[in-house]
Amino acid sequence: MKKKLLILTALATTALLITGCQHQIKADSRTTNFKTTAVKKKTNKIDLILKHMTLNEKIGQLYFAHSTGNTKQMMQDVKKYHLGGTTLFAPDFQNKTKAQFDSEMRNYQKIAIMVY
């Protein structure tokens, strides 16, 4: 009896979730068309990038590595493993000016983009 009640509850919850997702918001058509066009352009760019990525590059994009503060090593890892990002900690900020830190972040971005 408990098993049937549990299954029935799960099915009812699933049905409510599915039907609840069909709510549509009416918006100004000019705004919608502009947003739709912008989304399509962005989607096309993303599709183009994904089309030229290897499986290893796609898998690498799923991972974030934690930084040890060793910039050279992190840049090598970003390039080698096609990392999707890095998590920064105190050593990444210590004894650096804002300009130095900004420069390092731009270099990470350049290396990540060069892969694609």
PDB file of all heavy atoms in Angstrom, residues 18-44:
ATOM      1  N   ILE A  18       5.429  19.216 -14.930  1.00  0.00           N
ATOM      2  CA  ILE A  18       5.381  19.321 -16.392  1.00  0.00           C
ATOM      3  C   ILE A  18       4.350  20.351 -16.829  1.00  0.00           C
ATOM      4  O   ILE A  18       4.618  21.201 -17.671  1.00  0.00           O
ATOM      5  CB  ILE A  18       5.089  17.943 -17.030  1.00  0.00           C
ATOM      6  CG1 ILE A  18       6.297  17.025 -16.835  1.00  0.00           C
ATOM      7  CG2 ILE A  18       4.757  18.099 -18.505  1.00  0.00           C
ATOM      8  CD1 ILE A  18       6.059  15.594 -17.238  1.00  0.00           C
ATOM      9  N   THR A  19       3.168  20.323 -16.250  1.00  0.00           N
ATOM     10  CA  THR A  19       2.130  21.278 -16.657  1.00  0.00           C
ATOM     11  C   THR A  19       2.440  22.681 -16.176  1.00  0.00           C
ATOM     12  O   THR A  19       2.081  23.660 -16.825  1.00  0.00           O
ATOM     13  CB  THR A  19       0.743  20.862 -16.130  1.00  0.00           C
ATOM     14  OG1 THR A  19       0.806  20.743 -14.706  1.00  0.00           O
ATOM     15  CG2 THR A  19       0.294  19.562 -16.748  1.00  0.00           C
ATOM     16  N   GLY A  20       3.161  22.818 -15.086  1.00  0.00           N
ATOM     17  CA  GLY A  20       3.508  24.142 -14.569  1.00  0.00           C
ATOM     18  C   GLY A  20       4.528  24.859 -15.429  1.00  0.00           C
ATOM     19  O   GLY A  20       4.653  26.071 -15.377  1.00  0.00           O
ATOM     20  N   CYS A  21       5.265  24.143 -16.249  1.00  0.00           N
ATOM     21  CA  CYS A  21       6.303  24.737 -17.080  1.00  0.00           C
ATOM     22  C   CYS A  21       5.756  25.328 -18.373  1.00  0.00           C
ATOM     23  O   CYS A  21       6.498  25.868 -19.164  1.00  0.00           O
ATOM     24  CB  CYS A  21       7.369  23.697 -17.416  1.00  0.00           C
ATOM     25  SG  CYS A  21       8.266  23.137 -15.965  1.00  0.00           S
ATOM     26  N   GLN A  22       4.466  25.218 -18.615  1.00  0.00           N
ATOM     27  CA  GLN A  22       3.910  25.662 -19.881  1.00  0.00           C
ATOM     28  C   GLN A  22       3.331  27.059 -19.814  1.00  0.00           C
ATOM     29  O   GLN A  22       2.684  27.502 -20.746  1.00  0.00           O
ATOM     30  CB  GLN A  22       2.868  24.657 -20.360  1.00  0.00           C
ATOM     31  CG  GLN A  22       3.504  23.304 -20.638  1.00  0.00           C
ATOM     32  CD  GLN A  22       2.522  22.338 -21.227  1.00  0.00           C
ATOM     33  OE1 GLN A  22       1.466  22.720 -21.675  1.00  0.00           O
ATOM     34  NE2 GLN A  22       2.872  21.086 -21.229  1.00  0.00           N
ATOM     35  N   HIS A  23       3.571  27.798 -18.759  1.00  0.00           N
ATOM     36  CA  HIS A  23       3.095  29.158 -18.624  1.00  0.00           C
ATOM     37  C   HIS A  23       3.881  30.062 -19.567  1.00  0.00           C
ATOM     38  O   HIS A  23       5.098  30.021 -19.601  1.00  0.00           O
ATOM     39  CB  HIS A  23       3.264  29.621 -17.179  1.00  0.00           C
ATOM     40  CG  HIS A  23       2.893  31.051 -16.961  1.00  0.00           C
ATOM     41  ND1 HIS A  23       1.612  31.503 -17.104  1.00  0.00           N
ATOM     42  CD2 HIS A  23       3.646  32.114 -16.631  1.00  0.00           C
ATOM     43  CE1 HIS A  23       1.588  32.800 -16.856  1.00  0.00           C
ATOM     44  NE2 HIS A  23       2.817  33.190 -16.561  1.00  0.00           N
ATOM     45  N   GLN A  24       3.191  30.883 -20.353  1.00  0.00           N
ATOM     46  CA  GLN A  24       3.851  31.774 -21.285  1.00  0.00           C
ATOM     47  C   GLN A  24       3.629  33.217 -20.877  1.00  0.00           C
ATOM     48  O   GLN A  24       2.540  33.590 -20.461  1.00  0.00           O
ATOM     49  CB  GLN A  24       3.334  31.558 -22.704  1.00  0.00           C
ATOM     50  CG  GLN A  24       3.687  30.185 -23.251  1.00  0.00           C
ATOM     51  CD  GLN A  24       3.160  30.000 -24.657  1.00  0.00           C
ATOM     52  OE1 GLN A  24       2.406  30.804 -25.160  1.00  0.00           O
ATOM     53  NE2 GLN A  24       3.572  28.926 -25.290  1.00  0.00           N
ATOM     54  N   ILE A  25       4.663  34.018 -21.041  1.00  0.00           N
ATOM     55  CA  ILE A  25       4.583  35.434 -20.711  1.00  0.00           C
ATOM     56  C   ILE A  25       4.434  36.211 -22.007  1.00  0.00           C
ATOM     57  O   ILE A  25       5.191  36.016 -22.959  1.00  0.00           O
ATOM     58  CB  ILE A  25       5.861  35.888 -19.974  1.00  0.00           C
ATOM     59  CG1 ILE A  25       6.000  35.106 -18.679  1.00  0.00           C
ATOM     60  CG2 ILE A  25       5.844  37.386 -19.735  1.00  0.00           C
ATOM     61  CD1 ILE A  25       7.311  35.327 -17.975  1.00  0.00           C
ATOM     62  N   LYS A  26       3.434  37.109 -22.056  1.00  0.00           N
ATOM     63  CA  LYS A  26       3.254  37.945 -23.234  1.00  0.00           C
ATOM     64  C   LYS A  26       4.199  39.130 -23.122  1.00  0.00           C
ATOM     65  O   LYS A  26       4.299  39.771 -22.094  1.00  0.00           O
ATOM     66  CB  LYS A  26       1.806  38.421 -23.337  1.00  0.00           C
ATOM     67  CG  LYS A  26       0.843  37.290 -23.598  1.00  0.00           C
ATOM     68  CD  LYS A  26      -0.560  37.801 -23.738  1.00  0.00           C
ATOM     69  CE  LYS A  26      -1.506  36.625 -23.976  1.00  0.00           C
ATOM     70  NZ  LYS A  26      -2.886  37.065 -24.091  1.00  0.00           N
ATOM     71  N   ALA A  27       4.901  39.421 -24.208  1.00  0.00           N
ATOM     72  CA  ALA A  27       5.847  40.529 -24.200  1.00  0.00           C
ATOM     73  C   ALA A  27       5.642  41.380 -25.447  1.00  0.00           C
ATOM     74  O   ALA A  27       4.987  40.966 -26.401  1.00  0.00           O
ATOM     75  CB  ALA A  27       7.271  39.990 -24.169  1.00  0.00           C
ATOM     76  N   ASP A  28       6.210  42.556 -25.414  1.00  0.00           N
ATOM     77  CA  ASP A  28       6.166  43.447 -26.567  1.00  0.00           C
ATOM     78  C   ASP A  28       6.866  42.746 -27.736  1.00  0.00           C
ATOM     79  O   ASP A  28       7.990  42.272 -27.601  1.00  0.00           O
ATOM     80  CB  ASP A  28       6.877  44.749 -26.206  1.00  0.00           C
ATOM     81  CG  ASP A  28       6.842  45.759 -27.333  1.00  0.00           C
ATOM     82  OD1 ASP A  28       6.098  45.556 -28.307  1.00  0.00           O
ATOM     83  OD2 ASP A  28       7.573  46.771 -27.221  1.00  0.00           O
ATOM     84  N   SER A  29       6.234  42.684 -28.885  1.00  0.00           N
ATOM     85  CA  SER A  29       6.778  41.937 -30.020  1.00  0.00           C
ATOM     86  C   SER A  29       8.106  42.519 -30.501  1.00  0.00           C
ATOM     87  O   SER A  29       8.971  41.791 -30.953  1.00  0.00           O
ATOM     88  CB  SER A  29       5.771  41.908 -31.166  1.00  0.00           C
ATOM     89  OG  SER A  29       5.509  43.218 -31.623  1.00  0.00           O
ATOM     90  N   ARG A  30       8.290  43.839 -30.390  1.00  0.00           N
ATOM     91  CA  ARG A  30       9.563  44.427 -30.828  1.00  0.00           C
ATOM     92  C   ARG A  30      10.698  43.933 -29.949  1.00  0.00           C
ATOM     93  O   ARG A  30      11.769  43.599 -30.436  1.00  0.00           O
ATOM     94  CB  ARG A  30       9.489  45.950 -30.782  1.00  0.00           C
ATOM     95  CG  ARG A  30       8.533  46.534 -31.810  1.00  0.00           C
ATOM     96  CD  ARG A  30       8.396  47.996 -31.595  1.00  0.00           C
ATOM     97  NE  ARG A  30       7.780  48.164 -30.265  1.00  0.00           N
ATOM     98  CZ  ARG A  30       7.469  49.315 -29.729  1.00  0.00           C
ATOM     99  NH1 ARG A  30       7.708  50.431 -30.360  1.00  0.00           N
ATOM    100  NH2 ARG A  30       6.910  49.388 -28.540  1.00  0.00           N
ATOM    101  N   THR A  31      10.489  43.886 -28.663  1.00  0.00           N
ATOM    102  CA  THR A  31      11.509  43.399 -27.735  1.00  0.00           C
ATOM    103  C   THR A  31      11.780  41.927 -27.984  1.00  0.00           C
ATOM    104  O   THR A  31      12.923  41.496 -28.034  1.00  0.00           O
ATOM    105  CB  THR A  31      11.046  43.599 -26.278  1.00  0.00           C
ATOM    106  OG1 THR A  31      10.708  44.960 -26.097  1.00  0.00           O
ATOM    107  CG2 THR A  31      12.127  43.201 -25.306  1.00  0.00           C
ATOM    108  N   THR A  32      10.741  41.159 -28.162  1.00  0.00           N
ATOM    109  CA  THR A  32      10.878  39.719 -28.386  1.00  0.00           C
ATOM    110  C   THR A  32      11.668  39.447 -29.659  1.00  0.00           C
ATOM    111  O   THR A  32      12.560  38.609 -29.671  1.00  0.00           O
ATOM    112  CB  THR A  32       9.492  39.052 -28.473  1.00  0.00           C
ATOM    113  OG1 THR A  32       8.781  39.365 -27.284  1.00  0.00           O
ATOM    114  CG2 THR A  32       9.612  37.554 -28.611  1.00  0.00           C
ATOM    115  N   ASN A  33      11.367  40.160 -30.740  1.00  0.00           N
ATOM    116  CA  ASN A  33      12.081  39.941 -31.997  1.00  0.00           C
ATOM    117  C   ASN A  33      13.558  40.282 -31.860  1.00  0.00           C
ATOM    118  O   ASN A  33      14.411  39.574 -32.367  1.00  0.00           O
ATOM    119  CB  ASN A  33      11.453  40.762 -33.124  1.00  0.00           C
ATOM    120  CG  ASN A  33      10.097  40.220 -33.517  1.00  0.00           C
ATOM    121  OD1 ASN A  33       9.818  39.051 -33.291  1.00  0.00           O
ATOM    122  ND2 ASN A  33       9.261  41.056 -34.096  1.00  0.00           N
ATOM    123  N   PHE A  34      13.865  41.390 -31.183  1.00  0.00           N
ATOM    124  CA  PHE A  34      15.259  41.777 -30.987  1.00  0.00           C
ATOM    125  C   PHE A  34      15.987  40.721 -30.172  1.00  0.00           C
ATOM    126  O   PHE A  34      17.077  40.296 -30.526  1.00  0.00           O
ATOM    127  CB  PHE A  34      15.354  43.137 -30.292  1.00  0.00           C
ATOM    128  CG  PHE A  34      16.759  43.514 -29.946  1.00  0.00           C
ATOM    129  CD1 PHE A  34      17.640  43.936 -30.927  1.00  0.00           C
ATOM    130  CD2 PHE A  34      17.222  43.425 -28.640  1.00  0.00           C
ATOM    131  CE1 PHE A  34      18.945  44.269 -30.618  1.00  0.00           C
ATOM    132  CE2 PHE A  34      18.520  43.758 -28.317  1.00  0.00           C
ATOM    133  CZ  PHE A  34      19.385  44.186 -29.311  1.00  0.00           C
ATOM    134  N   LYS A  35      15.370  40.284 -29.070  1.00  0.00           N
ATOM    135  CA  LYS A  35      15.997  39.275 -28.212  1.00  0.00           C
ATOM    136  C   LYS A  35      16.162  37.961 -28.956  1.00  0.00           C
ATOM    137  O   LYS A  35      17.181  37.296 -28.838  1.00  0.00           O
ATOM    138  CB  LYS A  35      15.176  39.068 -26.941  1.00  0.00           C
ATOM    139  CG  LYS A  35      15.276  40.213 -25.969  1.00  0.00           C
ATOM    140  CD  LYS A  35      14.452  39.950 -24.730  1.00  0.00           C
ATOM    141  CE  LYS A  35      14.541  41.120 -23.759  1.00  0.00           C
ATOM    142  NZ  LYS A  35      13.702  40.904 -22.585  1.00  0.00           N
ATOM    143  N   THR A  36      15.162  37.585 -29.731  1.00  0.00           N
ATOM    144  CA  THR A  36      15.232  36.338 -30.489  1.00  0.00           C
ATOM    145  C   THR A  36      16.373  36.385 -31.493  1.00  0.00           C
ATOM    146  O   THR A  36      17.126  35.432 -31.631  1.00  0.00           O
ATOM    147  CB  THR A  36      13.895  36.080 -31.212  1.00  0.00           C
ATOM    148  OG1 THR A  36      12.852  36.045 -30.245  1.00  0.00           O
ATOM    149  CG2 THR A  36      13.925  34.776 -31.971  1.00  0.00           C
ATOM    150  N   THR A  37      16.536  37.507 -32.185  1.00  0.00           N
ATOM    151  CA  THR A  37      17.607  37.658 -33.160  1.00  0.00           C
ATOM    152  C   THR A  37      18.964  37.589 -32.472  1.00  0.00           C
ATOM    153  O   THR A  37      19.878  36.929 -32.950  1.00  0.00           O
ATOM    154  CB  THR A  37      17.467  38.995 -33.912  1.00  0.00           C
ATOM    155  OG1 THR A  37      16.182  39.037 -34.518  1.00  0.00           O
ATOM    156  CG2 THR A  37      18.532  39.142 -34.976  1.00  0.00           C
ATOM    157  N   ALA A  38      19.104  38.269 -31.334  1.00  0.00           N
ATOM    158  CA  ALA A  38      20.364  38.259 -30.591  1.00  0.00           C
ATOM    159  C   ALA A  38      20.693  36.851 -30.109  1.00  0.00           C
ATOM    160  O   ALA A  38      21.841  36.416 -30.181  1.00  0.00           O
ATOM    161  CB  ALA A  38      20.300  39.218 -29.417  1.00  0.00           C
ATOM    162  N   VAL A  39      19.692  36.143 -29.630  1.00  0.00           N
ATOM    163  CA  VAL A  39      19.902  34.762 -29.154  1.00  0.00           C
ATOM    164  C   VAL A  39      20.303  33.864 -30.314  1.00  0.00           C
ATOM    165  O   VAL A  39      21.199  33.035 -30.179  1.00  0.00           O
ATOM    166  CB  VAL A  39      18.634  34.234 -28.448  1.00  0.00           C
ATOM    167  CG1 VAL A  39      18.734  32.744 -28.195  1.00  0.00           C
ATOM    168  CG2 VAL A  39      18.402  34.976 -27.146  1.00  0.00           C
ATOM    169  N   LYS A  40      19.671  34.022 -31.466  1.00  0.00           N
ATOM    170  CA  LYS A  40      20.012  33.194 -32.630  1.00  0.00           C
ATOM    171  C   LYS A  40      21.453  33.433 -33.061  1.00  0.00           C
ATOM    172  O   LYS A  40      22.172  32.488 -33.378  1.00  0.00           O
ATOM    173  CB  LYS A  40      19.061  33.485 -33.793  1.00  0.00           C
ATOM    174  CG  LYS A  40      17.701  32.864 -33.622  1.00  0.00           C
ATOM    175  CD  LYS A  40      16.824  33.162 -34.812  1.00  0.00           C
ATOM    176  CE  LYS A  40      15.423  32.593 -34.606  1.00  0.00           C
ATOM    177  NZ  LYS A  40      14.534  32.914 -35.721  1.00  0.00           N
ATOM    178  N   LYS A  41      21.880  34.706 -33.080  1.00  0.00           N
ATOM    179  CA  LYS A  41      23.257  35.013 -33.475  1.00  0.00           C
ATOM    180  C   LYS A  41      24.240  34.381 -32.508  1.00  0.00           C
ATOM    181  O   LYS A  41      25.238  33.809 -32.907  1.00  0.00           O
ATOM    182  CB  LYS A  41      23.468  36.526 -33.523  1.00  0.00           C
ATOM    183  CG  LYS A  41      22.846  37.188 -34.716  1.00  0.00           C
ATOM    184  CD  LYS A  41      23.121  38.673 -34.735  1.00  0.00           C
ATOM    185  CE  LYS A  41      22.446  39.332 -35.920  1.00  0.00           C
ATOM    186  NZ  LYS A  41      22.671  40.789 -35.937  1.00  0.00           N
ATOM    187  N   LYS A  42      23.938  34.499 -31.210  1.00  0.00           N
ATOM    188  CA  LYS A  42      24.821  33.930 -30.197  1.00  0.00           C
ATOM    189  C   LYS A  42      24.838  32.408 -30.305  1.00  0.00           C
ATOM    190  O   LYS A  42      25.879  31.781 -30.195  1.00  0.00           O
ATOM    191  CB  LYS A  42      24.362  34.368 -28.806  1.00  0.00           C
ATOM    192  CG  LYS A  42      25.382  34.155 -27.739  1.00  0.00           C
ATOM    193  CD  LYS A  42      24.995  34.864 -26.469  1.00  0.00           C
ATOM    194  CE  LYS A  42      26.234  35.075 -25.642  1.00  0.00           C
ATOM    195  NZ  LYS A  42      26.015  35.950 -24.530  1.00  0.00           N
ATOM    196  N   THR A  43      23.673  31.816 -30.535  1.00  0.00           N
ATOM    197  CA  THR A  43      23.575  30.367 -30.675  1.00  0.00           C
ATOM    198  C   THR A  43      24.372  29.888 -31.879  1.00  0.00           C
ATOM    199  O   THR A  43      25.072  28.875 -31.806  1.00  0.00           O
ATOM    200  CB  THR A  43      22.101  29.932 -30.796  1.00  0.00           C
ATOM    201  OG1 THR A  43      21.399  30.384 -29.650  1.00  0.00           O
ATOM    202  CG2 THR A  43      21.976  28.424 -30.904  1.00  0.00           C
ATOM    203  N   ASN A  44      24.294  30.621 -32.985  1.00  0.00           N
ATOM    204  CA  ASN A  44      25.063  30.240 -34.172  1.00  0.00           C
ATOM    205  C   ASN A  44      26.556  30.274 -33.894  1.00  0.00           C
ATOM    206  O   ASN A  44      27.293  29.406 -34.345  1.00  0.00           O
ATOM    207  CB  ASN A  44      24.717  31.165 -35.340  1.00  0.00           C
ATOM    208  CG  ASN A  44      23.308  30.922 -35.856  1.00  0.00           C
ATOM    209  OD1 ASN A  44      22.723  29.882 -35.604  1.00  0.00           O
ATOM    210  ND2 ASN A  44      22.768  31.893 -36.552  1.00  0.00           N
TER     211      ASN A  44
END
